[in-house]
Amino acid sequence: MPMDDNKTFSSSPKAGTSRREGGLLELLRTIVIAGVLAISVRTVLFEPFNIPSASMIPTLQVGDYVWVAKYSYGYSRFSLPGSPNLFEGRIFNSLPHRGDVAVFRFTKDTSIDYIKRIVGLPGDVIQMRMGRLYLNGQEVPREPEGEYVAIDEHRTHMEGDRYREILPGSGGHGPVAHDILKLTDEGGKNDTPEYVVPPGYFFAMGDNRDDSADSRFMGDEPQDLGFVPMENLVGQAKWIFMSVDGAHPFWQFWYWPAEIRWNRLFMGVR
């Protein structure tokens, strides 16, 4: 009987090792599958972006985090992680609509993401006159909504006027009503030449019209955006899933609940 017991116990370490190896392989398999799914979702469906500057106030605040739909305009190499130069142009291409809030790659450095509103499509004529936006010779209507104080990424307070602007629709879509902020009607960005959007490009502007480096700047300076190639589009901003004020250093965790802008969570981007 003791010999039988010894034989029985002699096989246990091998069985335990086999179970451990099987558990490690299953864990590795789960991690690989989760990684592939995450990369697939990020590449094909949605990608998160944060808002680092004040150029889209009042629509988007500094510290907002948005989901961007990658499928909205089809896919270019900029839709892929690392932007590998595998192909030119766009696959499943779909033109953006006037009024879309879109993420795209900066024209001077395609490693940088920008987010602006698309106000001009190929063939459109864009001009600013005395602080007013003109599209194809017609003034874009806007309605005053009162005074507004914005806070930029440097915690600087900017006092201006808020308006509800109504861009004409495109591609069978109706007009797009959205808010803008005006700080002044003076300066070169408020009195511009006419810009005719060439084929394959779009014209983008920030909703914070006087604190936005956008397509109105056509020069050779490093910050000038100019017309944006359709290929540079990454996707359309859809929802705000988090918004953090950022008034205190990150390590001061006791401020975290107060730092979250709870009223902005899950807002649609319009």
Side-chain angles (χ1 to χ4, degrees), residues 15 18 21-22 24 44 46 65 70 76 80 97 107 111 142 161 200 206 229 233 242 245 252 257 263:
S18 178
E21 290 177 351
L24 289 173
V44 179
F46 295 98
Y65 290 77
K70 304 288 285 289
S76 73
L80 306 175
H97 294 103
T107 51
S111 68
R142 70 183 195 188
D161 295 301
L233 282 167
M242 177 57 71
D245 183 38
Q252 294 182 348
N263 63 323

Side-chain angles (χ1 to χ4, degrees), residues 13-35:
K14 293 181 180 179
T17 300
S18 178
R19 284 195 296 270
R20 285 195 297 272
E21 290 177 351
L24 289 173
L25 288 173
E26 185 62 28
L27 176 61
L28 181 60
R29 177 175 175 270
T30 301
I31 292 173
V32 170
I33 291 174

Side-chain angles (χ1 to χ4, degrees), residues 76-148:
S76 73
R77 64 189 181 95
F78 298 119
S79 304
L80 306 175
S83 306
N85 194 15
L86 299 179
F87 57 92
E88 298 293 331
R90 305 192 70 82
I91 299 173
F92 306 119
N93 182 43
S94 178
L95 280 177
H97 294 103
R98 203 179 290 118
D100 286 356
V101 177
V103 171
F104 53 88
R105 296 299 176 91
F106 181 40
T107 51
K108 296 290 198 303
D109 182 352
T110 55
S111 68
I112 300 174
D113 292 304
Y114 265 35
I115 184 167
K116 305 286 183 188
R117 190 176 299 276
I118 296 175
V119 300
L121 297 173
D124 283 342
V125 180
I126 309 293
Q127 187 178 25
M128 293 292 293
R129 303 179 196 167
M130 299 180 64
R132 298 293 189 105
L133 174 62
Y134 284 76
L135 176 64
N136 298 323
Q138 300 295 317
E139 182 180 344
V140 176
R142 70 183 195 188
E143 301 168 356
E145 293 189 323
E147 296 179 349
Y148 188 89

Side-chain angles (χ1 to χ4, degrees), residues 116 203-206 209 212-218 224-226:
K116 305 286 183 188
F203 192 100
M205 294 179 68
R209 290 289 163 78
S212 174
D214 51 39
S215 291
R216 289 172 289 180
F217 299 92
M218 294 277 178
D224 292 342
L225 178 63

Side-chain angles (χ1 to χ4, degrees), residues 44-91:
V44 179
L45 297 178
F46 295 98
E47 185 173 354
F49 287 87
N50 75 296
I51 307 303
S53 75
S55 69
M56 282 297 292
I57 290 175
T59 304
L60 295 172
Q61 302 289 333
V62 177
D64 281 350
Y65 290 77
V66 299
W67 284 116
V68 172
K70 304 288 285 289
Y71 53 82
S72 295
Y73 310 124
Y75 305 94
S76 73
R77 64 189 181 95
F78 298 119
S79 304
L80 306 175
S83 306
N85 194 15
L86 299 179
F87 57 92
E88 298 293 331
R90 305 192 70 82
I91 299 173

Side-chain angles (χ1 to χ4, degrees), residues 37 55 57 60 63 87 122 152 158 176 189 212 231 251 270:
L37 286 174
S55 69
I57 290 175
L60 295 172
F87 57 92
D152 70 7
M158 301 179 293
V176 177
K189 56 183 169 291
S212 174
E231 183 183 16
W251 60 267
R270 298 180 177 83

